[in-house]
Amino acid sequence: MRVCSVVGARPQFVKAFPVSRRLRADHEEVLIHTGQHYDEALSGVFFEELDIPEPEYNLGVGSGGHAPQTAEMMRLLDEVIEAESPDVVLVYGDTNSTLAAALVAAKREPTLAHVEAGLRSEKWSMPEEVNRVLTDHCSDLLLAPAENAATTLREDNIRGDVVVTGDVMYDAVLAVRDRALDESTPLPIPDLRPGEYVLATVHRASNTDDPDRLAGILDGLAAVDEPVVLPLHPRTDDALRRHGLYDHAADAIRLVDPVGYVDFLRLLSNASRVATDSGGVQKEAFYLDTPCVTLREETEWVETVEAGWNVLVGSDADRIAAALTDRSERPPKPELYGGGDAAARTVAALEAKLAGATREAKSADATEE
């Protein structure tokens, strides 16, 4: 089996590395990096830390508006997929890289497989929602992280095959957990005490592009008595300066450079709470037993909210501060996204899909004869 795996952003690097390891044991993989995240702290360091193979292709697309960025990705991906002739194009999540690869593959012969299929925020104004819904409808094989997502796909009358694999990000966390939780290794930011700080991440355009929402988030974080540490995504850095909020943020919050995956998990596991607008961080917090406060009005990972380990607060400063200072006990944690074998299940589903397609092709040839 020959697979072209397409990645372009930090969460996709994390999701891809356990699947790539499993794929390369028995199959051929061609790794394509679109260059959607091109900053070393958001891209290169993850390949190094996670021992992800160097991409066979780095398209270097970089940032840009949704339409021109997606169009350029499609143009370049079309050339690569034609040259490589894969059996499968494998895409992850809900970025512009995901949609671009899905649209290209849907008009060519390879099987299109979507990891993290079936997630919904029910908020069509989010670019990620558009990307994930369209990718699901294009896909031949839909790899759902949980039964809720699979139910959504079936209710949407998706044409492709649906398989519940569990969450590949859990595989990734388990693979580096010992390094991340090694108590002999100090926290990557000086003067922090385990359990006595809040970790924050803010990067979604719906929060960074709206000065009122961004100011509300900053006010909520500033109201917390504990130190608040915010690794600064380039988009957020730019937004703070553009909206005249940088000094306000720097006065109340520890703004630090982005950190690598292992260091981030170390910070996350030792935080008293995390405040985030990232879907991936919501899950990572759940896996590492860190209560999560989500800076959005909705989430694709509804199971974490239902389990009592995640609360949605939007950008309201009072709700953010209240949630971050709540010290009530969390309920027992259920197993929501599989047992850490999602990569193996993903590869098995690809093998079964290709085997079925081969049988159908042979049957069709025999009928024609």
Side-chain angles (χ1 to χ4, degrees), residues 26 32 38 53 63 93 116 156 159 164 204 213 216 236 278 280 301 317-318 327 332 336 346 365:
D26 298 302
I32 306 167
Y38 51 90
S63 60
E116 254 187 23
D156 280 358
R159 67 175 188 84
V164 178
R204 284 190 179 270
R213 287 187 66 88
T236 311
S278 161
W301 303 100
D318 292 337
R327 289 297 179 267
L336 297 179
T346 294
D365 289 344

Side-chain angles (χ1 to χ4, degrees), residues 110-346:
T111 293
L112 172 63
H114 183 200
V115 173
E116 254 187 23
L119 301 183
R120 299 289 185 269
S121 69
E122 305 302 338
K123 188 174 181 180
W124 195 247
S125 61
M126 290 177 59
E128 295 88 352
E129 182 79 349
V130 176
N131 291 344
R132 65 173 72 101
V133 171
L134 295 181
T135 299
D136 282 345
H137 280 277
C138 287
S139 295
D140 303 297
L141 180 61
L142 297 110
L143 303 163
E147 192 57 48
N148 278 351
T151 299
T152 296
L153 292 168
R154 296 181 184 116
E155 290 175 349
D156 280 358
N157 294 316
I158 293 294
R159 67 175 188 84
D161 296 332
V162 177
V163 178
V164 178
T165 59
D167 180 26
V168 294
M169 286 192 80
Y170 188 32
D171 293 32
V173 169
L174 292 177
V176 301
R177 184 170 58 181
D178 289 345
R179 276 191 287 161
L181 304 187
D182 183 358
E183 294 182 0
S184 67
T185 304
L187 292 172
I189 297 170
D191 305 323
L192 290 181
R193 293 180 179 274
E196 297 181 11
Y197 65 90
V198 169
L199 179 63
T201 78
V202 183
H203 78 281
R204 284 190 179 270
S206 57
N207 283 330
T208 60
D209 291 352
D210 184 329
D212 292 333
R213 287 187 66 88
L214 190 55
I217 289 169
L218 294 175
D219 288 342
L221 296 177
V224 178
D225 288 337
E226 293 177 307
V228 177
V229 177
L230 175 62
L232 208 50
H233 189 286
R235 176 191 288 158
T236 311
D237 190 346
D238 176 70
L240 289 173
R241 298 177 191 280
R242 184 162 29 91
H243 300 319
L245 294 170
Y246 189 91
D247 290 342
H248 173 50
D251 287 342
I253 300 168
R254 291 188 66 172
L255 304 179
V256 300
D257 291 334
V259 297
Y261 184 59
V262 175
D263 279 344
F264 182 80
L265 291 188
R266 185 176 293 121
L267 285 171
L268 179 57
S269 67
N270 283 283
S272 64
R273 294 286 189 278
V274 62
T276 186
D277 56 10
S278 161
V281 174
Q282 291 173 56
K283 289 184 298 170
E284 289 162 343
F286 181 79
Y287 299 143
L288 294 171
D289 301 329
T290 301
C292 184
V293 174
T294 294
L295 307 171
R296 293 165 52 191
E297 286 77 17
E298 74 295 312
T299 180
E300 304 77 31
W301 303 100
V302 293
E303 300 91 350
T304 61
V305 177
E306 293 167 354
W309 282 79
N310 189 4
V311 59
L312 306 177
V313 297
S315 61
D316 182 271
D318 292 337
R319 292 174 64 198
I320 293 169
L324 288 174
T325 54
D326 176 16
R327 289 297 179 267
S328 58
E329 287 293 317
R330 302 295 98 188
K333 218 174 57 171
E335 184 179 283
L336 297 179
Y337 303 115
D341 58 353
R345 289 176 177 269
T346 294

Side-chain angles (χ1 to χ4, degrees), residues 44-126:
V45 67
F46 285 89
F47 284 87
E48 180 180 341
E49 277 196 339
L50 300 177
D51 196 27
I52 301 172
E54 279 295 313
E56 281 74 17
Y57 294 89
N58 190 326
L59 305 184
V61 172
S63 60
H66 289 292
Q69 184 187 61
T70 305
E72 180 65 2
M73 288 176 182
M74 288 181 66
R75 184 183 71 81
L76 296 172
L77 284 166
D78 192 55
E79 294 175 358
V80 172
I81 290 171
E82 180 177 14
E84 293 293 338
S85 298
D87 301 303
V88 177
V89 173
L90 184 62
V91 299
Y92 294 84
D94 53 23
T95 68
N96 287 344
S97 299
T98 309
L99 179 61
L103 292 173
V104 169
K107 297 186 177 184
R108 287 188 170 274
E109 292 185 6
T111 293
L112 172 63
H114 183 200
V115 173
E116 254 187 23
L119 301 183
R120 299 289 185 269
S121 69
E122 305 302 338
K123 188 174 181 180
W124 195 247
S125 61
M126 290 177 59

